[in-house]
Amino acid sequence: MSNRPPGDDAGKRQRTSTKLTAHRGLATWGERLVPLGEFRDAAAAAGQELSAAARATAAAAHRQPVDDATPIEGPFGRIVAFGGVYNNHFALEALLAEAAGCRAEAIYCLGDLGGFGPNPEKVRPLLEEGGVLGVQGNYEESLATGREDCNCGYTDPRDNEFADLSYRYTADRCSPETRRWLGSWPLRRRVRVGGQELLLVHGSPRRINEFLFASTSPVPFLDVLFDEQRCDGFLCTHTGLPWHRRLPSGRDAVNVGVIGRPPNDGATDVRYALIEAGADGLEVQLRSLAYDHQALAAEMRAEQLPEEFVETILTGWWTTCLEILPAKERAASRF
Amino acid sequence: MIDPASSDAAPLVELRSLDTLWFQVGGTVCNLACTHCFVSCSPTNHTHEFLRLDEIRGYLDEGAALGVREYYFTGGEPFLNPEMEAILEATLRVGPANVLTNGLLLDPGRCRRLRELDDASDYSLDLRVSMDGYEAAANDPIRGEGTFERILQGVRNLVHAGLNPVITVTEVHDDNGTVRGKERFFQLLRELGIAKPRLKILPVFQIGAEVERGGAYASWQRLRSGDAPVDGWDHLQCSTCRMVTDQGVWVCPILVNEPGGKMGEALADTLDPFALDHPACWTCHVYGVSCKT
Ligand code: SF4
Ligand code: SF4
């Protein structure tokens, strides 16, 4: 904002001290000072005051359940779900071996295949061979639609710079064929595990790039989401930090984490979710996965990806995109 | 009636979902009278009064049933409200809380209690401390003589209690939001012992006290239906927020000094679309502003 007339300091001090007492008995209405009563009367008359019945109707209309014709898959007894591959084909290989080892009946990827890591074209054959079923992330959506950025939803310019850099790296190396394949993935899936119908999405059930962190996803909010989406639980990713909350209503909110980089905990393992039908509803395990992170770091360096990214792989601490973390998640973070 | 089809009419913004519920918990009462305050707060401004805990409880219940995700507290100065800590305790039981404060009332005892509230909740307590320059010479002409040092002391007390505030800066000075300016703020915060500095930059709203300091909006700075971006108005915070004051529920934290911003008494009264016919809406649109952290 440079359309400011240069002020004289003495004048400003003068004005500040008059402001300290200027409002006695007066209210600010836009740029004017008016008697308090005048403002309050106008405020009281503005807007609408509905009857109790009309309020109940308005609230119900606001929480109107969505019409969702997504076909239901399953039922399964045991599934594996993971997100955020970020081109980490080493972790993806390890994940597929684990999923086979624990006899998962279906394997779901919740999106964000690219960015951060090296050589995006190594991921697709692994997913195809493993029979992985996908949900589009903001990355896939951006790649498939030819967007200029990854729509990650960062506010800090430094975060956006890193996000841009890794998006361009991936976009430049992604064949039209792969883009089309990613574009064919659905934005959501519905999967039955035991008696529960789960919604599988990337960010949140309502927005592809909404960040659902444990400390900012309160129980009443989640309950309203479940009602709106008519599901018994959801699996999401996008933030990179795994968590699971069993609601008093018996429904489960699960962020499955990502396999592309560690969950900012100072160790090199990544996370995925093993979801099983149990006697008392879902059994959710957020499992650690070791993989050849040294090989990944070497390949990232060979591709001249930012050293900040390599450091995260080797130390387990995030070095970028920290500004999006809420207070609790940031407090647990090294940087 | 506004005709939404006319490109000259103010566009309507739908409430997509009520994600963010604001409380003007300190009313318009503040221990400062900043020259850029877009709500013109001051020690004697009682346009809006403090919100009481019992009033807030009612809105917390209604908000929870509507699926609110997070709660924000502002003023005036929230910590002038004698019930502020009890209000935060009640809020942190149902969701995350953010407090926008000028930092002057953050004494060591209060910071310790805030830390206890934070520790007792699964949800995040985020404190946002306002500052308008990385040195007294830039900050004090805006916020008042000697405030820079007092803000820093408040921040130190928070840090000592193990809380890491988000420092909130307006672009009241040209370089506050530049890369160099941000670096200076980060440096200042590191010197205060903050290893993980957090910063939020906001543009200036040319309303309230700011009119006298920096000038008002020009008549062309208004939104028209024809200005709608392809994705609609979803980038505006009023598509996901409402603001509660002691005078009822308002569209957003910005228009509380315009009776036209008042929408109802209960949250359920305010779920309809709102006409963006105020010049401040132009700033929100052009700068992509969200007052959220
Ligand atoms: S900008 Fe904040 S601290 Fe300054 S007068 Fe307004 S409410 Fe008070
Ligand atoms: S001032 Fe901003 S947030 Fe408020 S109604 Fe206008 S556009 Fe929406």
Side-chain angles (χ1 to χ4, degrees):
Chain A
M1 296 256 157
S2 49
N3 54 344
R4 302 277 173 250
D8 72 294
D9 281 0
K12 259 182 204 156
R13 263 198 300 278
Q14 178 72 39
R15 282 201 295 281
T16 306
S17 52
T18 34
K19 272 204 183 73
L20 292 172
T21 54
H23 291 103
R24 281 194 209 291
L26 299 172
T28 38
W29 178 330
E31 274 79 65
R32 295 180 298 136
L33 282 177
V34 299
L36 260 184
E38 191 180 328
F39 179 89
R40 293 199 178 153
D41 289 348
Q48 58 178 358
E49 196 171 350
L50 301 174
S51 68
R55 281 180 181 163
T57 311
H62 185 71
R63 293 169 318 205
Q64 188 71 36
V66 296
D67 265 331
D68 186 1
T70 310
I72 297 163
E73 300 164 44
F76 299 114
R78 178 182 294 148
I79 65 167
V80 155
F82 65 96
V85 182
Y86 305 160
N87 297 334
N88 186 347
H89 53 93
F90 295 99
L92 179 56
E93 261 189 281
L95 180 276
L96 293 171
E98 282 238 342
C102 64
R103 296 189 304 282
E105 294 154 54
I107 308 173
Y108 289 99
C109 171
L110 305 185
D112 277 359
L113 301 190
F116 201 79
N119 298 316
E121 286 291 341
K122 292 187 177 178
V123 166
R124 186 171 140 217
L126 292 172
L127 291 171
E128 285 177 322
E129 261 164 55
V132 174
L133 301 165
V135 167
Q136 271 186 47
N138 47 295
Y139 233 86
E140 288 69 60
E141 196 186 43
S142 292
L143 282 173
T145 58
R147 242 185 108 104
E148 290 289 313
D149 61 58
C150 60
N151 192 19
C152 283
Y154 297 126
T155 49
D156 179 40
R158 181 173 170 268
D159 287 352
N160 273 319
E161 221 169 276
F162 280 115
D164 273 359
L165 195 144
S166 53
Y167 178 71
R168 269 198 309 276
Y169 172 89
T170 299
D172 288 349
R173 287 160 187 77
C174 214
S175 69
E177 226 185 341
T178 299
R179 284 170 195 255
R180 268 196 301 279
W181 181 69
L182 294 172
S184 73
W185 284 14
L187 290 169
R188 46 167 63 210
R189 285 175 180 270
R190 284 184 178 264
V191 177
R192 191 167 278 283
V193 178
Q196 265 156 294
E197 193 179 312
L198 304 178
L199 182 64
L200 274 58
V201 292
H202 179 71
S204 84
R206 51 189 196 172
R207 284 194 271 290
I208 197 166
N209 67 349
E210 184 171 26
F211 293 109
L212 294 187
F213 290 104
S215 85
T216 53
S217 302
V219 168
F221 159 73
L222 293 170
D223 261 326
V224 168
L225 265 189
F226 289 131
D227 289 344
E228 267 172 14
Q229 305 288 336
R230 301 184 210 262
C231 61
D232 307 310
F234 66 73
L235 311 182
C236 68
T237 175
H238 190 55
T239 63
L241 298 180
W243 54 272
H244 168 217
R245 183 164 283 148
R246 163 78 42 89
L247 272 61
S249 60
R251 301 181 282 196
D252 294 274
V254 185
N255 188 316
V256 303
V258 296
I259 64 165
R261 63 174 177 173
N264 203 15
D265 65 350
T268 55
D269 286 2
V270 294
R271 297 288 189 284
Y272 71 96
L274 179 70
I275 316 261
E276 295 174 279
D280 303 315
L282 284 191
E283 277 169 24
V284 177
Q285 288 179 48
L286 296 168
R287 297 179 130 198
S288 264
L289 176 71
Y291 71 99
D292 193 345
H293 61 277
Q294 296 287 359
L296 176 69
E299 197 175 309
M300 286 168 78
R301 283 185 172 137
E303 286 295 302
Q304 297 177 333
L305 285 162
E307 197 51 34
E308 285 86 347
F309 292 2
V310 179
E311 189 187 331
T312 297
I313 294 302
L314 293 174
T315 64
W317 294 114
W318 293 2
T319 53
T320 60
C321 304
L322 290 153
E323 202 135 296
I324 53 159
L325 298 180
K328 272 212 200 291
E329 282 78 1
R330 187 70 188 261
S333 161
R334 159 119 190 247
F335 295 109
Chain B
M1 254 330 270
I2 293 153
D3 172 11
S6 148
S7 67
D8 221 31
L12 292 174
V13 58
E14 303 261 349
L15 182 68
R16 258 191 307 173
S17 50
L18 184 53
D19 295 348
T20 309
L21 187 56
W22 288 79
F23 291 106
Q24 200 171 17
V25 73
T28 42
V29 184
C30 193
N31 45 352
L32 296 182
C34 303
T35 60
H36 68 341
C37 183
F38 66 81
V39 252
S40 306
C41 296
S42 79
T44 54
N45 189 342
H46 291 269
T47 307
H48 298 268
E49 300 278 19
F50 297 157
L51 277 163
R52 294 188 316 271
L53 174 60
D54 63 314
E55 293 172 299
I56 287 181
R57 276 191 207 283
Y59 287 109
L60 288 176
D61 289 347
E62 200 192 356
L66 286 166
V68 170
R69 248 197 106 170
E70 45 188 0
Y71 299 92
Y72 277 72
F73 296 90
T74 185
E77 168 51 44
F79 289 113
L80 283 175
N81 186 321
E83 292 184 299
M84 192 57 207
E85 288 171 24
I87 289 168
L88 284 177
E89 189 180 4
T91 304
L92 285 165
R93 275 194 214 116
V94 290
N98 287 259
V99 188
L100 279 56
T101 169
N102 62 30
L104 264 55
L105 300 173
L106 296 171
D107 56 70
R110 185 186 307 275
C111 292
R112 261 198 314 279
R113 291 191 299 278
L114 290 173
R115 173 63 196 266
E116 285 162 17
L117 290 177
D118 179 45
D119 284 347
S121 176
D122 282 346
Y123 304 130
S124 274
L125 168 62
D126 257 303
L127 291 146
R128 265 184 33 196
V129 180
S130 300
M131 202 183 271
D132 281 301
Y134 41 74
E135 53 202 7
N139 178 83
D140 289 5
I142 305 284
R143 303 209 140 245
E145 209 59 49
T147 53
F148 185 73
E149 273 313 316
R150 294 167 68 196
I151 298 166
L152 293 194
Q153 191 51 46
V155 172
R156 275 190 212 103
N157 293 341
L158 282 176
V159 173
H160 187 73
L163 295 168
N164 183 8
V166 177
I167 302 302
T168 308
V169 177
T170 62
E171 289 177 312
V172 70
H173 297 299
D174 281 341
D175 79 330
N176 276 358
T178 63
V179 173
R180 201 191 67 93
K182 285 182 187 170
E183 220 10 87
R184 292 289 300 270
F185 277 106
F186 280 132
Q187 189 189 327
L188 170 70
L189 296 176
R190 283 194 201 96
E191 283 163 17
L192 292 173
I194 301 180
K196 303 178 252 185
R198 306 168 79 203
L199 187 65
K200 161 128 185 141
I201 310 281
L202 281 171
V204 174
F205 286 97
Q206 293 161 243
I207 53 177
E210 173 64 11
V211 170
E212 202 182 314
R213 193 197 69 88
Y217 285 99
S219 59
W220 57 270
Q221 289 170 312
R222 291 250 176 190
L223 293 177
R224 308 278 175 239
S225 292
D227 299 337
V230 273
D231 304 338
W233 298 103
D234 284 3
H235 60 298
L236 298 180
Q237 60 176 341
C238 45
S239 70
T240 53
C241 82
R242 288 296 180 252
M243 165 68 140
V244 175
T245 85
D246 77 320
Q247 326 253 328
V249 186
W250 302 62
V251 60
C252 73
I254 300 153
L255 297 184
V256 288
N257 286 343
E258 294 290 343
K262 156 91 186 292
M263 294 187 76
E265 301 304 327
L267 298 176
D269 300 341
T270 70
L271 307 175
D272 290 339
F274 181 80
L276 300 166
D277 60 2
H278 194 277
C281 303
W282 180 88
T283 299
C284 288
H285 171 56
V286 173
Y287 290 86
V289 184
S290 172
C291 305
K292 284 175 44 170
T293 303

